[in-house]
Amino acid sequence: MKAARRERLLNRSLLVGIGATFAVMLATTFVSRDSLTQQRKAMELVTRTQGVLRVLEGIAASLYRSEAAQRALVLMGDESYAAPYLQATKSLTRLIDEGKLLVLDNPPQVNRMQRLAELAQERLAQLAGALRRPLRSCAAGARSCRE
């Protein structure tokens, strides 16, 4: 009789132990799944942030190239410098549009990107205005420059 009771107690303890182990494994599975989901979302945000930074660096580089080509065009008076200027201007417009798409879900960043676009267009307008002024001779001799 004692042996049968001991066997039932052992079986009951074994079932409780197996049930507890299964519950812990199930909880661990759900926590792991949730953690992986959060990690994936974080990686997507990091990737998008890197894309925005790449676009911003490209915008700055395009503005620098536009200014450098404009200066060369003004100082040298050589129309061959117009092509790099126009190419940098087109690249700038494309990059700004790409940047706007990347930040669509973040209203403060949308506003900042719009302001950046306005400032870039202002700068391009200033550069274009300098190109429209008539050339005058510089004291340096063969070089041409703007008034």
Side-chain angles (χ1 to χ4, degrees):
M1 189 120 155
K2 262 186 163 182
R5 186 172 176 212
R6 204 178 275 168
E7 191 175 320
R8 277 185 284 160
L9 185 61
L10 182 64
N11 284 341
R12 186 178 288 163
S13 296
L14 187 60
L15 285 175
V16 169
I18 290 173
T21 303
F22 181 72
V24 168
M25 288 176 56
L26 189 62
T28 303
T29 300
F30 285 121
V31 168
S32 295
R33 187 189 71 182
D34 198 39
S35 176
L36 288 173
T37 300
Q38 289 177 357
Q39 185 179 10
R40 189 188 75 235
K41 287 179 183 177
M43 288 299 295
E44 288 171 359
L45 289 174
V46 167
T47 301
R48 191 178 78 181
T49 299
Q50 289 172 340
V52 171
L53 289 173
R54 181 187 49 79
V55 166
L56 291 174
E57 289 170 356
I59 289 170
S62 289
L63 279 172
Y64 295 143
R65 283 193 305 270
S66 293
E67 291 175 354
Q70 181 259 0
R71 277 193 303 274
L73 184 60
V74 168
L75 292 174
M76 301 299 177
D78 185 356
E79 292 296 320
S80 67
Y81 291 104
Y85 171 78
L86 294 174
Q87 181 182 11
T89 302
K90 287 179 187 175
S91 173
L92 180 65
T93 303
R94 180 188 54 78
L95 286 167
I96 287 174
D97 290 342
E98 185 179 336
K100 286 179 181 179
L101 289 175
L102 286 173
V103 298
L104 274 179
D105 65 334
N106 191 331
Q109 286 185 355
V110 169
N111 293 337
R112 288 185 201 117
M113 189 60 76
Q114 184 59 40
R115 181 66 180 138
L116 177 62
E118 292 167 4
L119 291 171
Q121 291 305 322
E122 276 181 37
R123 185 65 185 135
L124 288 178
Q126 290 172 353
L127 294 174
L131 291 175
R132 284 191 289 268
R133 289 190 212 134
L135 290 173
R136 67 175 173 83
S137 295
C138 289
R143 289 188 183 167
S144 297
C145 62
R146 301 284 176 192
E147 292 183 335

